[in-house]
C-alpha cells in the first residue's frame, strides 16, 4: 500500500432529517443570542480537553472534564444575565460570588473584570497632585505655582496625616478638602497642645498618688507595717488635705525597744505629687537644718524631707511638754503618730467646736502659752497656726500639722510669726475673749521684742529690718548663731 494514498473512510449512515433539525435549532439559538447580546463573546466551541495526552479511559477524569465544561457554560450564562441587568446603568451589580470557576482557572475573555484586583480601586481617594521641584507647572496664563490656593490647600490636608494618632483628622483627602495655611497652622498647634496635655496627664497618672494618696509604693509600706505587727489594722481615712492624708489604725506590738505603740494611731501619708510643694519650698530650702541637703536632692525627695521635718518638730514640741501627737515611726513619706481622739473619732478642730466663754478664755491663754513655749523652748515658729490646726481634746488645745514650722532665724521666720499672731488674735476676738491681745501686742508678747509702731505697715517694716539684720549676722558668723536677744525671757501669760 502507498503511504501517500487516500485513506479508506468508512461512512456512517445517519438520518438527514436528524441532522437538519439539530443544525437548524442551533442556528436559531445563535441568531437570537447575537440579536440580544451583540457584544458578548460566545462560548468557545471545541473539544473538552485540549491536551494531546489526556487519559480518557478513567471515568473520574471524564466526569471532571464534563463538570468543568458545565461550569464554564454556567459562568457564561451568568455574564449574559449580568450584562442584561446592568445595561448602561452607572450602578452595576456582579454575580462574581456565584461563579463556579475561579478567574485564573477560566478561559474567559480579557474584558472580564477581576473584582479581586484592587490595584485600581474606584473608591480609593486620589492623592493630591503636588507641584514639581521647580515650583510651578504649566506655561503662560495656565501656570500654577506651589503657592496656588487649591494646590496648597490639598497639600495641607495631606499633611494632617502626620498629626498624632490620638488626634482624629477624618478623611479629608477623600472629600477633596482644601485647608488654608491659617486653618492648618491652628489645627497643628491644637494637635501639638493636645499631645503635650496627654503626655502630662500620663506622667501625672504614673508618678502621682491615687486613691487618696495610697499609691502602690505607699500601699506596700503600709502592708509591711501590718505584716510586721506594728499596726494591727488600718480602719480608714479620717482627714484629707492638699499635702497629706491621715488614716486611723490600731496599734500592734512595739515598734522599737524605747517606743511603745499607742492603742490608736494616726498615719499621715504625704502626697507624692509636687503640685502643692513647688510653691512651699521656701519653708524648707531656707531652713538652716536642711539647707545643705536641699540643693543636692531630687525634687521628689523633698516630700520625704517634709515628713522628716514634721517628725523633728513634733519631737521638739513633745520634749517641751506642748500637747501634740507623739511620733512613733517614720518610713519615707509615711509618718505614724499617736491618735488625738477616741474610738476612731478624731478630736474636733477649734473652728468646729462650740465652747463656753470660760473654755474659750482657757483655750486662749493655753494657746498663748504654747506659742511662747514654741518660740522660746523649742526655737520654732509654727508658720501656719490657726483654728484649723488646733484640736480640742480632753479640755485642752493640741497643736498639729507642724511640717512647715521653721526656726526664728529663718529669713521669713518673724513674718510667719506675725501671721500666726494675726490668725490667733482674730479668732479669739471673734470668739468673745475680751482679754485677747491684738496681733502686734501678741507678737511682742511671744517674741520678747518691744516694737513700738503706731500702725501695721511700720510694724511689718521693722520686722523685715530685723530679719535682714539677722540674715546678715548669720551669714557672717555661722548658721546656728542668731543676733535675736531680748532683755530677759518673755512673760508667761497664765490664767
Amino acid at each position: 500500500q502507498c503511504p501517500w494514498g487516500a485513506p479508506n473512510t468508512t461512512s456512517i449512515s445517519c438520518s438527514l432529517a436528524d441532522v437538519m433539525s439539530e443544525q437548524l435549532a442551533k442556528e436559531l439559538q445563535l441568531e437570537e443570542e447575537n440579536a440580544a447580546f451583540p457584544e458578548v463573546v460566545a462560548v468557545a466551541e471545541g473539544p473538552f480537553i485540549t491536551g494531546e495526552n489526556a487519559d480518557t479511559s478513567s471515568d473520574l477524569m471524564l466526569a471532571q472534564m464534563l463538570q468543568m465544561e458545565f461550569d464554564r457554560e454556567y459562568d457564561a450564562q451568568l455574564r449574559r444575565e449580568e450584562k442584561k441587568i446592568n445595561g448602561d446603568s452607572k450602578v452595576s451589580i456582579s454575580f462574581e460570588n456565584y461563579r463556579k470557576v475561579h478567574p485564573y482557572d477560566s478561559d474567559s475573555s480579557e474584558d472580564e473584570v477581576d473584582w479581586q484586583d484592587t490595584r485600581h480601586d474606584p473608591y480609593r481617594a486620589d492623592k493630591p497632585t503636588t507641584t514639581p521641584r521647580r515650583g510651578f507647572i504649566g506655561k503662560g496664563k495656565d501656570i500654577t505655582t506651589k503657592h496656588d490656593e487649591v494646590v496648597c490647600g490639598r497639600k495641607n490636608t495631606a499633611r494632617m496625616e502626620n498629626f498624632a494618632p490620638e488626634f482624629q483628622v477624618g478623611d479629608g483627602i477623600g472629600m477633596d478638602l482644601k485647608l488654608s495655611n491659617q486653618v492648618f497652622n491652628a489645627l497643628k498647634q491644637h494637635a501639638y497642645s493636645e499631645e503635650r496635655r496627654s503626655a502630662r496627664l500620663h506622667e501625672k497618672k504614673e508618678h502621682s498618688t491615687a486613691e487618696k494618696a495610697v499609691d502602690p509604693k505607699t500601699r506596700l509600706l503600709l502592708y509591711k507595717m501590718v505584716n510586721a505587727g506594728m499596726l494591727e489594722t488600718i480602719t480608714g481615712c479620717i482627714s484629707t488635705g492638699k499635702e497629706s492624708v491621715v488614716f486611723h489604725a490600731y496599734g500592734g506590738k512595739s515598734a522599737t525597744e524605747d517606743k511603745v505603740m499607742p492603742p490608736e494611731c494616726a498615719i499621715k501619708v504625704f502626697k507624692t505629687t509636687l503640685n502643692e510643694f513647688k510653691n512651699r519650698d521656701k519653708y524648707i530650702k531656707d531652713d538652716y537644718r536642711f539647707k545643705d541637703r536641699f540643693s543636692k536632692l531630687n525634687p521628689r525627695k523633698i516630700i520625704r524631707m517634709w515628713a522628716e521635718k514634721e517628725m523633728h518638730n513634733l519631737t521638739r514640741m513633745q520634749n517641751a511638754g506642748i500637747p501634740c501627737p507623739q511620733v512613733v515611726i517614720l518610713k519615707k513619706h509615711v509618718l505614724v503618730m499617736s491618735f488625738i481622739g477616741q474610738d476612731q473619732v478624731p478630736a474636733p478642730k477649734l473652728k468646729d467646736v462650740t465652747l463656753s466663754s470660760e473654755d474659750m478664755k482657757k483655750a486662749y491663754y493655753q494657746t498663748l502659752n504654747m506659742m511662747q513655749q514654741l518660740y522660746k523652748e523649742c526655737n520654732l515658729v509654727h508658720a501656719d497656726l490657726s483654728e484649723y490646726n488646733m484640736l480640742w481634746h480632753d479640755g485642752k488645745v493640741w497643736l498639729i500639722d507642724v511640717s512647715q514650722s521653721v526656726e526664728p532665724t529663718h529669713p521669713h521666720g518673724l513674718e510667719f510669726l506675725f501671721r500666726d499672731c494675726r490668725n490667733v488674735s482674730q479668732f479669739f476676738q471673734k470668739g468673745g475673749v475680751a482679754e485677747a491681745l491684738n496681733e502686734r501686742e501678741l507678737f511682742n508678747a511671744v517674741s520678747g521684742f518691744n516694737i513700738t509702731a503706731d500702725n501695721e505697715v511700720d510694724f511689718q517694716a521693722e520686722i523685715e529690718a530685723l530679719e535682714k539684720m539677722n540674715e546678715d549676722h548669720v551669714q557672717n558668723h555661722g548658721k546656728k548663731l542668731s543676733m535675736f536677744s531680748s532683755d530677759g525671757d518673755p512673760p508667761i501669760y497664765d490664767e
Side-chain angles (χ1 to χ4, degrees):
Q1 294 181 356
C2 180
W4 292 280
N8 295 328
T9 58
T10 58
S11 59
I12 303 174
S13 61
C14 61
S15 174
L16 182 60
D18 295 337
V19 173
M20 292 301 294
S21 61
E22 182 180 355
Q23 291 178 352
L24 180 60
K26 193 163 190 176
E27 288 177 0
L28 292 176
Q29 182 181 358
L30 290 176
E31 288 179 3
E32 291 178 0
E33 291 179 357
N34 293 333
F37 312 107
E39 298 180 1
V40 177
V41 180
V43 180
E45 296 184 6
F48 294 157
I49 300 299
T50 57
E52 297 179 356
N53 299 322
D55 184 13
T56 58
S57 61
S58 173
D59 293 341
L60 178 60
M61 179 62 66
L62 289 175
Q64 292 177 349
M65 292 161 51
L66 291 173
Q67 184 64 42
M68 180 64 70
E69 185 64 22
F70 174 78
D71 292 342
R72 290 175 181 172
E73 292 179 359
Y74 179 78
D75 292 345
Q77 180 65 25
L78 284 180
R79 286 194 294 272
R80 287 192 293 268
E81 292 291 336
E82 186 179 293
K83 180 66 178 178
K84 181 179 178 180
I85 294 175
N86 291 335
D88 297 332
S89 176
K90 294 182 179 180
V91 179
S92 61
I93 66 172
S94 172
F95 294 150
E96 186 70 20
N97 294 335
Y98 298 97
R99 292 177 59 182
K100 297 294 185 180
V101 183
H102 199 269
Y104 59 76
D105 292 334
S106 64
D107 296 333
S108 58
S109 58
E110 295 180 357
D111 60 347
E112 180 183 352
V113 178
D114 185 5
W115 294 95
Q116 304 299 326
D117 186 7
T118 58
R119 288 175 295 181
H120 179 68
D121 188 357
Y123 300 102
R124 180 182 296 175
D126 296 332
K127 292 186 178 180
T129 56
T130 58
T131 54
R133 291 185 178 181
R134 58 186 178 180
F136 65 93
I137 55 175
K139 294 182 180 180
K141 296 182 180 180
D142 299 330
I143 189 171
T144 301
T145 66
K146 64 180 180 180
H147 302 291
D148 182 71
E149 183 178 358
V150 176
V151 175
C152 193
R154 289 175 176 168
K155 187 185 297 184
N156 289 336
T157 303
R159 290 166 61 188
M160 285 199 305
E161 295 181 355
N162 299 327
F163 289 169
E166 297 82 8
F167 192 79
Q168 303 295 335
V169 296
D171 186 17
I173 298 178
M175 296 184 296
D176 195 19
L177 186 64
K178 306 175 186 66
L179 294 179
S180 64
N181 291 337
Q182 182 179 3
V183 175
F184 173 76
N185 291 333
L187 288 175
K188 182 179 179 181
Q189 183 63 32
H190 179 66
Y192 180 64
S193 300
E194 287 295 314
E195 186 178 3
R196 289 191 303 172
R197 187 179 70 87
S198 177
R200 287 197 302 269
L201 292 177
H202 181 72
E203 192 273 341
K204 182 179 179 181
K205 183 178 179 180
E206 290 293 330
H207 297 284
S208 64
T209 55
E211 299 179 6
K212 296 184 177 180
V214 185
D215 57 342
K217 294 182 179 179
T218 305
R219 192 178 298 114
L220 181 60
L221 288 176
L222 297 179
Y223 284 162
K224 288 183 178 180
M225 291 182 183
V226 175
N227 291 335
M230 297 169 50
L231 301 176
E232 186 170 339
T233 180
I234 300 176
T235 57
C237 178
I238 58 176
S239 176
T240 59
K242 296 182 297 183
E243 303 164 0
S244 61
V245 178
V246 182
F247 296 92
H248 175 272
Y250 286 104
K253 62 182 181 181
S254 301
T256 58
E257 296 180 356
D258 56 342
K259 292 281 187 178
V260 178
M261 293 296 295
E264 293 184 88
C265 298
I267 306 174
K268 188 170 185 179
V269 179
F270 289 85
K271 294 182 179 179
T272 55
T273 53
L274 296 178
N275 298 332
E276 301 297 339
F277 285 90
K278 59 185 179 182
N279 296 327
R280 299 176 65 85
D281 57 352
K282 61 182 179 180
Y283 292 98
I284 193 170
K285 72 176 183 180
D286 293 327
D287 195 323
Y288 295 110
R289 296 175 293 171
F290 301 92
K291 190 172 184 179
D292 294 337
R293 297 168 52 194
F294 180 81
S295 59
K296 299 177 183 179
L297 291 180
N298 183 293
R300 293 197 175 275
K301 294 184 179 180
I302 299 176
I303 291 94
R304 298 185 184 181
M305 189 179 295
W306 198 265
E308 181 183 349
K309 192 167 184 281
E310 175 152 6
M311 180 194 69
H312 291 310
N313 293 339
L314 286 175
T315 303
R316 286 192 186 184
M317 296 168 60
Q318 183 181 350
N319 294 335
I322 298 177
C324 65
Q326 178 185 357
V327 177
V328 178
I329 193 172
L330 173 66
K331 291 289 186 181
K332 295 183 179 180
H333 60 285
V334 178
L335 181 62
V336 181
M337 306 171 290
S338 60
F339 180 70
I340 308 300
Q342 190 175 3
D343 297 334
Q344 303 184 29
V345 180
K349 298 178 182 178
L350 207 57
K351 73 176 186 69
D352 297 328
V353 67
T354 303
L355 301 178
S356 62
S357 57
E358 291 295 327
D359 289 338
M360 183 66 72
K361 183 178 179 181
K362 178 181 177 182
Y364 170 72
Y365 282 108
Q366 184 184 355
T367 302
L368 180 57
N369 188 14
M370 286 192 299
M371 292 179 66
Q372 293 175 337
Q373 283 184 288
L374 195 66
Y375 185 87
K376 183 64 178 178
E377 300 180 23
C378 302
N379 195 29
L380 287 175
V381 175
H382 192 283
D384 193 22
L385 187 62
S386 65
E387 61 272 18
Y388 293 87
N389 291 328
M390 292 186 287
L391 304 180
W392 181 258
H393 181 62
D394 289 340
K396 58 182 177 180
V397 179
W398 297 69
L399 294 184
I400 60 171
D401 193 8
V402 293
S403 56
Q404 73 286 330
S405 300
V406 297
E407 294 186 349
T409 55
H410 189 278
H412 303 284
L414 296 182
E415 296 179 25
F416 296 154
L417 177 60
F418 184 72
R419 186 176 61 188
D420 293 346
C421 294
R422 181 191 292 116
N423 294 335
V424 171
S425 178
Q426 291 178 356
F427 172 75
F428 284 104
Q429 284 179 353
K430 291 179 181 179
V433 180
E435 297 85 352
L437 304 175
N438 58 38
E439 57 266 23
R440 286 174 284 176
E441 296 173 345
L442 185 58
F443 178 86
N444 289 332
V446 172
S447 63
F449 292 107
N450 190 17
I451 300 178
T452 57
D454 298 334
N455 52 64
E456 185 175 339
V457 176
D458 295 339
F459 196 88
Q460 291 184 349
E462 292 193 26
I463 291 177
E464 293 178 1
L466 286 173
E467 290 178 339
K468 179 62 177 175
M469 293 172 57
N470 179 70
E471 185 176 2
D472 296 339
H473 183 81
V474 169
Q475 290 179 356
N476 294 331
H477 297 84
K479 61 183 180 181
K480 293 187 178 180
L481 298 178
S482 174
M483 62 169 292
F484 288 162
S485 60
S486 56
D487 299 333
D489 295 340
I492 303 296
Y493 283 81
D494 249 330
E495 203 174 344

